Amino acid sequence: MAAKDYSRMDQLRDRLKPWKIGFKRTWSQFTESPVGLIGLIILTVIILMSVFAPYIAPHSLEWRAYGDGATFEQMASLPHPPAFGDPFFAPLGTDSLGHGIFTQLVYGSRTALFIGLAAGLLSSFVGVPLGIISGYYANTWIDESIQRVVDILYALPFLPLVIVLVFVRGMSTTNIILAIVVKSWLNNAIVIRGQVLSLSERPFVEAARASGASDLRIMFRHIIPNVLPLSFVYLAQDAAFAILTQASLAFLGFSDFTNISWGVMLQWIQVEGYVYTAWWWLIPPGLMIALLAASFYFVGYSLEDVMNPGSQS
């Protein structure tokens, strides 16, 4: 029994060894990039902000400067919005309803990260497998079918398509993510397909075929470990693109306004007409959107340099 268990452990180690070696090599090269490390630090800080939001934010989202039971007259007596540095312990001031800007900023990080990571992961879950299958079965009906779908979707304009899908399906966070994924998986599939076409001609893949290995075994044993690092590049880029897209949709009024987000904050200040007067309400959400999107792009850029050393200047 012990020998049998030991043999199974050896088999598991052998299967995980290519993944482990690839991860260590990628991490070692990634840490040599200052841009990548800056992006990773920014991303880590925002993740910690979202996880510990109840402990970082000075108030709840329902808090208002004059209390939850404020009358209309009391609210009307507030400056709209109150001056920066008001006496209600709202570090970035308050909006036109008396809600704390800093509190909204902290809790808005949850929505941004959720949409970015969910859209990025879903794009990878769709695009990477289809790219692998298309590349492995190149010049067959399977490859042709996948590529025709890609061509059709590429012909459709992105933002108008997303707006139509959100309008038809409803302005919920889930529908926004699904609408973004409808087109964001295309780059994954195309790039991964090209990588698989190259890998399929490598000697170790040819040797595996000659030894009688099944297509599934070749994909999991030899193809996926080699394309997985590249898929992380496009996951990071898709996450950044999803964050910018959601902010754009929210600013245009196509968003789930039951969930606070940085895009909703920008849309609300535009509706209230304080874009040019309440800088403490305008700049922080815009800056956070830029920082989070940039952090994903920085990480993706550094990973791309790791995957394609020849692209470095």
Side-chain angles (χ1 to χ4, degrees):
M1 179 64 69
K4 185 177 181 181
D5 291 341
Y6 181 76
S7 178
R8 288 178 179 176
M9 289 299 297
D10 282 346
Q11 292 177 8
L12 181 61
R13 290 193 189 96
D14 290 341
R15 291 177 181 178
L16 294 177
K17 188 175 181 179
W19 302 72
K20 186 177 179 181
I21 293 174
F23 176 79
K24 285 185 175 180
R25 182 176 64 250
T26 301
W27 174 252
S28 176
Q29 295 173 335
F30 177 83
T31 53
E32 296 176 0
S33 169
V35 172
L37 289 177
I38 291 172
L40 190 61
I41 290 171
I42 296 173
L43 185 58
T44 301
V45 170
I46 296 177
I47 290 174
L48 291 175
M49 179 191 297
S50 68
V51 171
F52 297 103
Y55 305 99
I56 297 175
H59 307 288
S60 67
L61 286 172
E62 292 75 24
W63 177 87
R64 292 191 301 182
Y66 278 107
D68 294 336
T71 65
F72 178 79
E73 289 75 15
Q74 288 174 320
M75 294 303 299
S77 67
L78 281 170
H80 294 285
F84 181 71
D86 63 89
F88 301 105
F89 189 52
L92 294 178
T94 55
D95 61 16
S96 58
L97 294 178
H99 297 297
I101 298 299
F102 182 71
T103 297
Q104 294 179 348
L105 205 68
V106 171
Y107 279 96
S109 63
R110 291 182 167 183
T111 302
L113 281 171
F114 175 71
I115 289 176
L117 293 176
L121 287 171
L122 283 176
S123 297
S124 296
F125 288 155
V126 175
V128 172
L130 289 178
I132 291 173
I133 294 171
S134 182
Y136 190 82
Y137 296 105
N139 300 320
T140 66
W141 67 269
I142 297 175
D143 179 35
E144 288 296 322
S145 299
I146 295 174
Q147 293 309 304
R148 296 297 75 77
V149 172
V150 170
D151 291 340
I152 292 171
L153 289 177
Y154 250 124
L156 300 175
F158 177 76
L159 193 57
L161 175 63
V162 172
I163 291 175
V164 169
L165 291 175
V166 171
F167 181 79
V168 171
R169 296 286 300 171
M171 292 185 291
S172 67
T173 301
T174 300
N175 289 336
I176 290 173
I177 292 171
L178 294 177
I180 293 172
V181 172
V182 164
K183 284 203 66 172
S184 61
W185 65 271
L186 300 178
N187 287 334
N188 284 309
I190 292 173
V191 174
I192 295 298
R193 177 182 181 272
Q195 187 74 3
V196 173
L197 286 173
S198 175
L199 289 170
S200 297
E201 304 299 325
R202 299 286 180 85
F204 60 88
V205 175
E206 294 290 347
R209 286 200 187 99
S211 66
S214 65
D215 291 345
L216 198 61
R217 179 177 177 81
I218 292 174
M219 288 183 189
F220 277 94
R221 179 81 173 182
H222 302 289
I223 301 295
I224 293 180
N226 285 283
V227 302
L228 192 61
L230 186 61
S231 69
F232 284 119
V233 175
Y234 288 90
L235 189 156
Q237 294 180 0
D238 289 339
F241 188 66
I243 290 165
L244 295 175
T245 301
Q246 189 274 336
S248 300
L249 291 173
F251 186 76
L252 293 173
F254 295 93
S255 185
D256 182 4
F257 294 98
T258 61
N259 289 331
I260 189 65
S261 71
W262 300 329
V264 168
M265 293 174 68
L266 292 176
Q267 199 271 344
W268 186 245
I269 189 176
Q270 188 268 339
V271 168
E272 291 290 298
Y274 295 105
V275 172
Y276 299 105
T277 55
W279 61 267
W280 63 91
W281 187 3
L282 173 69
I283 294 178
L287 183 62
M288 292 303 296
I289 292 170
L291 283 175
L292 184 56
S295 69
F296 277 112
Y297 275 123
F298 288 166
V299 170
Y301 172 81
S302 298
L303 284 174
E304 188 172 14
D305 280 347
V306 171
M307 298 301 105
N308 301 300
S311 66
Q312 298 180 8
S313 57

